[in-house]
Amino acid sequence: MPSDRPTPRRLSRKATGGDRVFEIGARAVGATVLVITGGIGAFLAWQSVPTLSRYGWGFFTESAWQPEADVLGIGAVLVGTVSIAGVAMFFAFPLALLTALYISEYAPAGVRPTLVSLVDLMAAVPSIIYGMWGYFLVMPHAAAFSLWLHQHLGWIPLFSVEADPNAAVWDQTRYIGSAFCAGIAVAMMVLPMSCAVMRQVFSQTPPGEKEAALALGATRWGMIRSVVLPFGRGGIIGGTMLGLGRALGETIAVLLIISPDFVVKPRILEVGTNSVSALIAGRFGDASAAQLSALLTAGFVLFLITLVVNTLAAVIVSRSRSGAGTDA
C-alpha cells in the first residue's frame, strides 16, 4: 500500500532563469576586467624587457635621464612620485576624514544629499582644471607658506631650501614648481575618493550601538570616538590607500605645476621635482625607440605600485568589520 507521507522537495542551489543569466553576465564582466588588467600588465612587462636587459637593476637607482648620453633611470622620479603623493595625503587625509564625519554624523538630513553630491562632483572635475587652479591660484600662496616653513623649520632636511630665507628680497623662484605645490593640487583630486569610501563605511555603523553609547551618557563626539571610528577603521585605512593609489598616478595637474628635475632630494619645498606619470606624459611625444621602451618600463613600475596599493586597500576594507556590508 503506497505511503501517504509527503516527500521533501529537493532544493537546488543552481540559479535558473533570469538569475542564471545575471550570474553568467556578472562573471563574464568580472573576467573581462581581469583579462584587460592582466593584458595591460603583460604588455608593459614585455615592452620593459629591452630596457631591463640593457640597463639592468641600475635603471631603478639611476637618477639622471639623458637619452643623448645613453643614461636612463627612474630613481629620481620614484622619489618625486612618493614625495608628491605624501604631501597630497598629508592634506587630503584629515580633510576627507572630517568631511565624511560631518556628512554622516553632524549634517542635517536635508543638507546631507547636497553635500554628498558636491563632494562627488569634485571627482568629476577634469585634472587639467585642478592643475590650472594649482598653478595660478595655489602656487603663489604656497610659495609664501614654503618660505615661512623654511624660516621656522629649515633645520629639518624636509623643509630646507638652498636659499637664504632671511634675505631682504626673497627669491620666490626657489619655492615654486615644487613637490609641495603639486601635492596640494593632487590632494584636492584624491579627497573625493577617500571621503566617499569613509562616508559609506561610517553610514554602516549599527544604529543600536550608537544609541546605546548616547543612552549611557556619551556626548556626540564621545559616541563617534568610541563607536563610529573603531567600526570604520578599515574604511579609513582603505579609503586612504585608495586615495594614495590615485595620487601616485596623477599626471596632468602635476605636469602643469612642477619644474622637471632629475635629482634625488628630500626637500619638498624646493623648486624642481618629477613623477613617473609626468615623465611619461612629458617625454612620450618625442621619444626614440629606446627611450619609449624606458618610458613603458617606468609605466610598468607605476602600474605594479598602484596595483599593490589598491589591492591592499580592498583587502583591508573587505576584511574589516565595517567592510562586511561595504563594497570598496
Side-chain angles (χ1 to χ4, degrees):
M1 184 175 180
S3 174
D4 295 335
R5 295 173 59 185
T7 58
R9 180 171 63 90
R10 289 189 176 185
L11 299 178
S12 176
R13 300 181 61 182
K14 294 183 178 180
T16 59
D19 293 339
R20 179 63 175 171
V21 173
F22 176 79
E23 179 181 353
I24 295 175
R27 288 184 177 180
V29 172
T32 302
V33 172
L34 291 177
V35 170
I36 293 175
T37 304
I40 294 174
F43 169 77
L44 292 175
W46 177 256
Q47 295 296 324
S48 303
V49 172
T51 297
L52 296 179
S53 300
R54 182 175 183 84
Y55 300 102
W57 292 105
F59 181 77
F60 303 102
T61 57
E62 174 63 49
S63 60
W65 188 275
Q66 300 173 355
E68 63 280 357
D70 196 23
V71 177
L72 298 176
I74 59 173
V77 295
L78 286 177
V79 174
T81 301
V82 175
S83 300
I84 295 173
V87 173
M89 296 314 301
F90 176 82
F91 289 103
F93 171 73
L95 289 175
L97 179 61
L98 294 177
T99 303
L101 284 175
Y102 177 77
I103 293 176
S104 61
E105 302 298 333
Y106 288 98
V111 180
R112 193 170 300 161
T114 303
L115 295 177
V116 172
S117 299
L118 290 176
V119 173
D120 293 341
L121 184 62
M122 291 179 62
V125 177
S127 301
I128 192 171
I129 302 300
Y130 282 108
M132 296 173 64
W133 169 76
Y135 184 85
F136 291 105
L137 181 63
V138 174
M139 193 183 306
H141 301 285
F145 185 60
S146 298
L147 174 64
W148 184 88
L149 290 175
H150 184 201
Q151 290 174 337
H152 296 84
L153 299 175
W155 52 273
I156 302 176
L158 192 67
F159 301 118
S160 65
V161 178
E162 293 183 354
D164 183 8
N166 299 312
V169 179
W170 67 292
D171 188 3
Q172 186 178 11
T173 60
R174 299 299 301 170
Y175 300 90
I176 62 175
S178 62
F180 182 74
C181 298
I184 295 176
V186 175
M188 296 299 102
M189 303 179 66
V190 304
L191 187 151
M193 177 185 298
S194 299
C195 180
V197 175
M198 296 180 189
R199 175 181 53 79
Q200 187 178 9
V201 170
F202 292 154
S203 66
Q204 301 293 328
T205 306
E209 295 186 15
K210 297 165 63 175
E211 294 171 358
L214 294 174
L216 291 174
T219 61
R220 177 74 65 86
W221 169 243
M223 179 270 295
I224 293 174
R225 187 178 57 186
S226 60
V227 178
V228 177
L229 291 179
F231 179 84
R233 184 179 294 111
I236 295 173
I237 298 174
T240 303
M241 295 184 68
L242 286 173
L244 176 61
R246 170 72 187 274
L248 289 170
E250 183 49 47
T251 306
I252 299 301
V254 174
L255 185 62
L256 287 176
I257 295 174
I258 64 171
S259 177
D261 192 11
F262 296 94
V263 178
V264 176
K265 57 182 178 182
R267 302 184 297 273
I268 62 174
L269 303 180
E270 190 175 67
V271 61
T273 187
N274 216 327
S275 69
V276 175
S277 56
L279 170 67
I280 297 173
R283 301 287 181 129
F284 187 84
D286 56 351
S288 61
Q291 190 177 2
L292 181 60
S293 175
L295 292 175
L296 291 174
T297 305
F300 180 58
V301 174
L302 182 61
F303 173 82
L304 292 179
I305 294 175
T306 54
L307 184 64
V308 170
V309 170
N310 290 333
T311 301
L312 289 176
V315 170
I316 291 174
V317 173
S318 63
R319 290 188 176 182
S320 66
R321 181 186 173 210
S322 55
T326 304
D327 184 10

